[in-house]
Each structure stands twice: as structure tokens, then as C-alpha cells.
Amino acid sequence: MFRRTFWFTAGAAAGVWATTKVNRKLKQLTPESLAAQAADKAVEAGHRLKDFALDVKAGMTQREDELNDALGLTQDPDRPGNVRALPGPRRLRAIQNDSTTHRPNHSYNRNEDH
């Protein structure tokens, strides 16, 4: 008698467990649940992408500062914050080189060739 009761109880428990497991899986596969899971994954991917973009921006800023230091570029207080200027001696050389470039004295008229 005890064997039959034990196996009956074990079978009933296994049936309840299996039914519960199948019902949970069916609820996970409903369109609403799948849409919610997809939305959660999209939000998570968006956060990861935002973190990546912020890391890239920070790395770019750091590398730009390193390059500016290596090239001797300094921030000019008379200019807006996003405009960089060459230091004094380099600026003068750049201006002098610009004014000594060869410029012809004559003007070119395209209509003369026709």
C-alpha cells in the first residue's frame, strides 16, 4: 500500500512540475513576451553603444591633448575655447611664409584663350 501511495505522489508531483515548466515556457513564447524581451535587449544594446561612444570621445580628447602638447599648440585666451593657436615664434614663421609665397603680378583672363 505504501509503495502505491509513494509512486502516486511522485507521479503527481512530476506532473505538476512538468505542467508548470511547460506553462512558463509557453508564456515566454507569447508575442507580448517576445516583444518585451526584444525591447529590453535593444535598450541594453543602446546603453552599451552609448558607453562605447563616450569611451571613444574620451580617448579622442586625451589623444588630441597629447598631440597638442607634442606639437606645442597652446590655448589662446583671446580665442574661443574650441580654437587653437600656434605659439608666438611658430605663428610668426607661418605668417612670414604665407606673405613670401610667389604671387604673379598679372591677372588671368579665361576669355583671352578663345
Side-chain angles (χ1 to χ4, degrees):
M1 180 81 180
F2 288 111
R3 274 189 180 174
R4 287 184 184 178
T5 307
F6 171 75
W7 287 113
F8 176 78
T9 307
V16 170
W17 176 80
T19 304
T20 305
K21 192 102 167 152
V22 168
N23 283 336
R24 284 185 190 161
K25 196 57 149 176
L26 286 175
K27 285 182 183 178
Q28 286 180 350
L29 296 176
T30 61
E32 295 85 11
S33 178
L34 291 175
Q37 288 175 7
D40 290 342
K41 298 272 183 182
V43 168
E44 183 179 332
H47 288 303
R48 287 183 185 167
L49 188 61
K50 178 183 172 188
D51 292 341
F52 174 73
L54 291 174
D55 289 344
V56 168
K57 185 175 180 180
M60 287 172 42
T61 303
Q62 179 183 357
R63 182 63 178 149
E64 183 180 0
D65 291 340
E66 290 172 3
L67 290 173
N68 286 336
D69 290 342
L71 294 173
L73 297 175
T74 58
Q75 186 71 31
D76 189 358
D78 297 335
R79 295 177 187 254
N82 60 351
V83 177
R84 302 260 181 193
L86 290 171
R90 287 187 184 177
R91 185 181 308 147
L92 288 177
R93 270 187 270 145
I95 292 171
Q96 290 170 353
N97 287 340
D98 186 79
S99 64
T100 59
T101 57
H102 176 68
R103 294 183 182 160
N105 292 334
H106 60 82
S107 64
Y108 177 73
N109 187 350
R110 291 186 343 169
N111 294 330
E112 291 178 2
D113 290 341
H114 299 286

